[in-house]
Amino acid sequence: LRQQNSWQQLFKALTLVEYLLNHGAERFIDDVRSRSHMFASLKQYSTYEGSEDKGRGVREMTQKISDLIADDDTIRESRATAAALRRKMGGF
């Protein structure tokens, strides 16, 4: 049971990191960049339940985060898109 929850907690944490990269403070981007070595090992993460690969989502989210923090233009564009969506949905 612990291993099963492990990948779920890891995926949720990565989802939060991705959200904060897009919506959080600029300082958070610098903090994530300074810890980018932590994401390198997660690119190879794998765990299986039976024959089903449960680590795929973790690997994909890790790649998405790595792509975001690798380039200033990419993160700037992603944050602008998120801000526009936030303004658009602001009435709800």
Side-chain angles (χ1 to χ4, degrees):
L1 183 65
R2 183 161 171 79
Q3 171 118 18
Q4 180 182 14
N5 289 337
S6 175
W7 72 265
Q8 292 170 338
Q9 291 172 348
L10 187 54
F11 185 77
K12 288 176 185 179
L14 290 170
T15 301
L16 177 61
V17 168
E18 191 255 342
Y19 177 85
L20 290 173
L21 284 171
N22 286 319
H23 299 278
E26 294 279 337
R27 173 95 172 113
F28 185 75
I29 298 168
D30 296 333
D31 289 342
V32 172
R33 283 182 174 153
S34 70
R35 293 174 175 86
S36 63
H37 63 278
M38 297 171 77
F39 297 103
S41 63
L42 291 176
K43 288 181 182 180
Q44 306 301 323
Y45 183 83
S46 68
T47 187
Y48 290 88
E49 287 179 13
S51 62
E52 191 174 348
D53 182 11
K54 295 294 186 176
R56 180 177 176 207
V58 171
R59 291 190 304 271
E60 289 174 355
M61 187 61 76
T62 301
Q63 186 62 49
K64 187 175 181 180
I65 290 169
S66 296
D67 291 345
L68 276 175
I69 63 175
D71 184 31
D72 284 336
D73 292 335
T74 304
I75 190 72
R76 204 171 296 122
E77 181 180 315
S78 180
R79 288 175 65 87
T81 302
L85 184 60
R86 190 171 50 245
R87 282 191 302 275
K88 185 177 180 180
M89 298 295 195
F92 292 100

